[in-house]
Amino acid sequence: MGAIFSNGLALPAAATFIAALRKNWFWILFFSSLFVGIETLFLKLSIYSHNWWRTEFTGMGLFLFYFPICKALHELIMQPLHGFYHFLLLFLVIGPIAGTIHILPIMVFSNRFYELGWYENVSQDTNALAAIYYLCMSVIITILAKLRWKYKWTKYVLITICTCTVTMVLYFSGILHSIAWWDPFYYILVPNLFLMMTAVISKRLSIGPDNVVTS
């Protein structure tokens, strides 16, 4: 939950503030220092702990990479996108959402877990495969959203077949352990809704914000 709040809310909010209002390096340094301070405080309070990570990585990563890249990406989405940049931005938009949609029910309801044998702890196995799962699914959904097929309903048939196949392969191979009765339905049906949302975002990126008609 801490990772979701940080990566899904706090950091993007700061990045949006810096990018949309065209803030300079002073503000990038300020927010980088702020998040380093919060991380240090959490370490002191034993709310949070490091494995291989270091606080210096957080500071340098935010200051040198995250916030400057967000400023560059903001400049991109302010114009109509096509080709590679359209695909890249669309994937970067939907990837984190797909990850949250995938992992949040597992965190809250413990509806499934993955057992790969990669780690001694099944939770680490679950996190690892969940990341691979949602990243691959995001690529597939991004590709489907960009395809201009005459019969759009075939995209939803295809994504349903894909998720059904993945679910059955993982289940019968003993990797997927589904606990809640609604679990398979969620992971098969939700990608259809996600594909609809991705198609809307794709169209928005392709025409640019200046060409969006508002009522």
Side-chain angles (χ1 to χ4, degrees):
M1 293 301 292
I4 290 175
F5 180 82
S6 175
N7 299 333
L9 295 174
L11 284 171
T16 302
F17 173 82
I18 290 172
L21 299 183
R22 301 179 184 276
K23 295 299 182 180
N24 57 24
W25 284 99
F26 169 81
W27 286 96
I28 293 178
L29 178 61
F30 170 76
F31 279 108
S32 299
S33 302
L34 176 64
F35 285 110
V36 166
I38 293 172
E39 182 173 308
T40 303
L41 176 62
F42 282 7
L43 288 168
K44 294 290 185 182
L45 296 175
S46 298
I47 296 174
Y48 166 80
S49 62
H50 285 155
N51 289 321
W52 57 270
W53 191 258
R54 296 290 181 270
T55 304
E56 304 88 71
F57 298 165
T58 301
M60 298 300 291
L62 293 177
F63 183 75
L64 295 178
F65 297 100
Y66 181 73
F67 290 130
I69 288 174
C70 287
K71 290 188 68 174
L73 292 178
H74 180 264
E75 293 298 322
L76 276 179
I77 64 174
M78 295 307 293
Q79 53 187 317
L81 297 176
H82 305 283
F84 172 75
Y85 286 116
H86 181 272
F87 180 90
L88 175 64
L89 266 293
L90 186 59
F91 173 77
L92 291 177
V93 168
I94 70 168
I97 302 173
T100 302
I101 290 174
H102 186 97
I103 200 68
L104 192 59
I106 299 175
M107 294 170 56
V108 177
F109 302 111
S110 299
N111 53 298
R112 68 165 50 187
F113 66 90
Y114 303 117
E115 191 172 15
L116 290 164
W118 291 356
Y119 303 95
E120 294 182 2
N121 191 327
V122 71
S123 296
Q124 291 179 293
D125 269 350
T126 300
N127 286 333
L129 187 57
I132 296 172
Y133 189 112
Y134 84 76
L135 287 173
C136 292
M137 194 58 65
S138 297
V139 171
I140 294 172
I141 290 176
T142 300
I143 293 173
L144 288 176
K146 285 179 61 63
L147 292 176
R148 297 182 179 181
W149 288 354
K150 181 178 180 180
Y151 301 106
K152 295 182 180 180
W153 59 267
T154 56
K155 297 181 180 182
Y156 300 98
V157 172
L158 186 58
I159 195 64
T160 301
I161 293 173
C162 179
T163 50
C164 282
T165 302
V166 170
T167 299
M168 288 189 293
V169 169
L170 292 176
Y171 180 79
F172 288 111
S173 63
I175 295 175
L176 168 62
H177 298 268
S178 182
I179 300 171
W181 66 267
W182 50 266
D183 174 82
F185 298 100
Y186 176 85
Y187 288 96
I188 290 173
L189 296 177
V190 165
N192 284 274
L193 300 176
F194 198 58
L195 177 57
M196 293 176 62
M197 181 187 72
T198 305
V200 174
I201 298 173
S202 176
K203 183 177 180 181
R204 177 68 177 265
L205 289 175
S206 65
I207 63 176
D210 294 336
N211 297 318
V212 176
V213 178
T214 57
S215 58

